Amino acid sequence: MLRIAIQSKGRLNEESTALLKELGIEIDDAKRKFLSQSANFPLEVLYLRDDDIPQVVAAGTASLGIVGLNEVEEKGLKVKVIEKLGFGGCRISLAIPKAEAYDGPQWFEGKRIATSYPNILKRFLDKNGVHASIEVITGSVEVAPAAGIADAIFDIVSSGGTLVSNGLKEVERVFESEAVLISSGKLTEDEEKLLAEILFRFESVKVSRGKKYILMNIPQSAVEEAIRILPAMRSPTVMPLAAEGWCSLHSVVNAADLWDKIRQLKAIGAEGILVLGVDKIIP
Ligand code: PRT
Ligand code: ZN
């Protein structure tokens, strides 16, 4: 039995739960308390505050965890980062009142900086030879300058909206983060096998992200051109239609390229184009 720690509520909870579901691991959310067991995979889910996840995994109380890389880096505990998960993207940045002129890290010399990430901040200041006072606060860091508690902040930024609405500007992007899968590195042989199965499934989830399945009817004479437009995993599937001189062509495309491909395909005579979502791709 593998045990994974995920955030009980907050920004990473929903996507962590959704990821387990995408991996075909059913967790009964309705009965969710502190610990719940999957009905169809030997996995137990432990729901915690994100701050506690690196520690619980480092201690081996949970073999795996899903948490922001920022928490892993800040805690500095011995855990293995196994996979970046592609959600919870953010950065930890230094921000100062927007009217201030900024001329580089030396601006922070002798200043007070409010943050919930003192360790990551200290490493940045040391690297740049800057001496500043670090004021550790746990919530609403962004109001510290207006409240007179600090001259600057070092906090998580994603859209940047919170900084703007607090009259601040981002001046140094110090640490890039996203949700990661971590491990204690102390798995039993059986647990390693379960982890390998999870990683195998995750690979197919990753490959299928942002992909669309596209099928269409196309004149036989345009097939070669269509294959050039639609390189698939090997090559597109082409099947003859009952109607003389026509084929059905199937392929997988990146969602981002979809409309461009459709325009090109229509230009060479494609008809009846159907676009479907892709659930899993096993390479
Ligand atoms: O209760 P618990 O301790 O579990 O949760 P928490 O309140 O400590 O963390 P939570 O749920 O806010 O965030 C969990 C993780 O999500 C963080 O550790 C990051 O890895 C990640 N993450 C991604 C973010 C953001 N994006 C984010 N935008 N965490 C926080 N924010 C905050 C940011 O501090 C700012 O104040 O959201 C605010 C809005 O950001 P803007 O730039 O979009 O305006
Ligand atoms: Zn937290």
Side-chain angles (χ1 to χ4, degrees):
M1 175 77 72
L2 259 183
R3 185 183 285 171
I4 187 167
I6 69 170
Q7 196 188 21
S8 55
K9 49 186 189 304
R11 282 164 203 274
L12 303 181
N13 165 265
E14 212 169 284
E15 281 174 287
S16 304
T17 313
L19 176 62
L20 293 176
K21 203 168 167 190
E22 268 188 294
L23 298 174
I25 300 173
E26 284 169 22
I27 307 292
D28 192 350
D29 242 4
K31 279 194 259 156
R32 181 174 112 186
K33 293 255 164 19
F34 177 60
L35 196 62
S36 49
Q37 198 171 322
S38 166
N40 67 348
F41 196 90
L43 185 84
E44 241 175 9
V45 180
L46 180 62
Y47 296 94
L48 296 174
R49 285 199 59 187
D50 69 343
D51 315 55
D52 299 331
I53 293 175
Q55 191 186 335
V56 161
V57 173
T61 310
S63 305
L64 302 175
I66 296 179
V67 69
L69 187 60
N70 51 309
E71 288 297 331
V72 177
E73 180 76 6
E74 176 62 23
K75 298 290 184 305
L77 294 164
K78 212 166 161 268
V79 295
K80 257 165 72 180
V81 174
I82 303 183
E83 279 280 350
K84 292 188 171 179
L85 299 175
F87 61 87
C90 59
R91 55 201 185 264
I92 317 183
S93 294
L94 279 158
I96 65 173
K98 71 168 187 283
E100 293 282 338
Y102 184 71
D103 53 0
Q106 282 307 318
W107 186 93
F108 293 98
E109 185 67 32
K111 299 279 200 317
R112 294 164 305 159
I113 310 170
T115 189
S116 311
Y117 296 93
N119 295 324
I120 300 176
L121 175 57
K122 184 162 187 325
R123 279 196 284 278
F124 174 82
L125 295 175
D126 288 351
K127 200 178 90 193
N128 287 281
V130 174
H131 306 90
S133 147
I134 300 176
E135 314 291 332
V136 180
I137 46 179
T138 46
S140 305
V141 172
E142 65 279 0
V143 303
I149 301 167
D151 305 301
I153 66 165
F154 179 62
D155 198 14
I156 294 183
V157 180
S158 108
S159 67
T162 302
L163 293 184
V164 172
S165 57
N166 284 281
L168 301 168
K169 64 179 177 189
E170 186 176 12
V171 292
E172 297 284 347
R173 290 177 173 221
V174 174
F175 187 80
E176 296 289 332
S177 181
E178 69 179 270
V180 290
L181 178 67
I182 58 172
S183 140
S184 61
K186 300 173 205 150
L187 275 62
T188 63
E189 205 174 308
D190 278 354
E191 288 176 329
E192 286 289 358
K193 279 189 194 141
L194 294 172
L195 173 60
E197 174 64 23
I198 288 175
L199 294 177
F200 168 72
R201 294 184 188 187
F202 181 65
E203 215 36 53
S204 80
V205 167
K206 246 190 342 195
V207 176
S208 63
R209 272 185 191 158
K211 294 281 199 292
K212 296 285 177 194
Y213 191 80
I214 184 169
L215 50 156
M216 72 212 72
N217 296 334
I218 192 148
Q220 181 71 50
S221 57
V223 165
E224 249 178 62
E225 183 62 8
I227 291 175
R228 200 191 52 74
I229 297 168
L230 285 176
M233 278 176 287
R234 262 182 219 288
S235 73
T237 306
V238 183
M239 285 175 290
L241 287 183
E244 184 78 18
W246 281 80
C247 293
S248 168
L249 191 143
H250 300 208
S251 189
V252 173
V253 297
N254 288 324
D257 302 335
L258 183 69
W259 291 106
D260 183 45
K261 299 287 184 197
I262 287 177
R263 185 184 47 75
Q264 294 183 54
L265 291 162
K266 279 181 73 73
I268 60 165
E271 288 180 2
I273 301 173
L274 205 60
V275 179
L276 306 171
V278 174
D279 194 27
K280 301 277 183 302
I281 296 178
I282 320 295

